Amino acid sequence: QVQLVESGGGSVQAGGSLTLSCEVSDLTYDYCMAWFRQAPGKEREGVAAISTGGAITYYADSVKGRFTIDKDNAKNTLYLQMNSLKPEDTAMYYCATSLRPTWYLLRELDYRYWGRGTQVTVS
């Protein structure tokens, strides 16, 4: 059973920055990984995804140029650097793993293991 634990969330003023981390307990397989988020009253949406080796990344249009996804396979950790944060970025952020070839589409159905989330609040 793969376990993912997010950290790094918090409250920040608009224009500020935060870095989220996601530790993965099991790397039996080389997973593609992604960050999703869910705001109150809204559906969960894909934010950013990264290939197994980290060379390929995809971003939702709403975060392009502001967020950066990265992974450190040696540390079994996924990151999301968030800059120029806006109030509309307020949400619970989740990390997830995928072994499917359609991982880059940032669809929930392509991701099997999920963390419990970390809250980001921008005011």
Side-chain angles (χ1 to χ4, degrees), residues 61-81:
D61 288 342
S62 59
V63 306
K64 279 181 182 177
R66 300 188 299 122
F67 290 11
T68 302
I69 188 171
D70 197 5
K71 61 189 310 197
D72 185 335
N73 288 334
K75 295 183 178 180
N76 299 350
T77 303
L78 175 73
Y79 302 98
L80 185 68
Q81 174 68 44

Side-chain angles (χ1 to χ4, degrees), residues 22-94:
C22 170
E23 293 189 41
V24 184
S25 66
D26 176 15
L27 287 180
T28 302
Y29 302 99
D30 289 330
Y31 295 105
C32 296
M33 298 192 69
W35 288 97
F36 288 76
R37 67 185 181 187
Q38 186 168 22
K42 295 187 177 181
E43 294 186 353
R44 190 152 54 182
E45 63 173 351
V47 175
I50 190 167
S51 60
T52 55
I56 303 171
T57 57
Y58 289 91
Y59 296 92
D61 288 342
S62 59
V63 306
K64 279 181 182 177
R66 300 188 299 122
F67 290 11
T68 302
I69 188 171
D70 197 5
K71 61 189 310 197
D72 185 335
N73 288 334
K75 295 183 178 180
N76 299 350
T77 303
L78 175 73
Y79 302 98
L80 185 68
Q81 174 68 44
M82 305 185 294
N83 298 326
S84 302
L85 283 162
K86 305 175 181 180
E88 50 262 45
D89 294 319
T90 295
M92 184 72 78
Y93 283 72
Y94 303 88

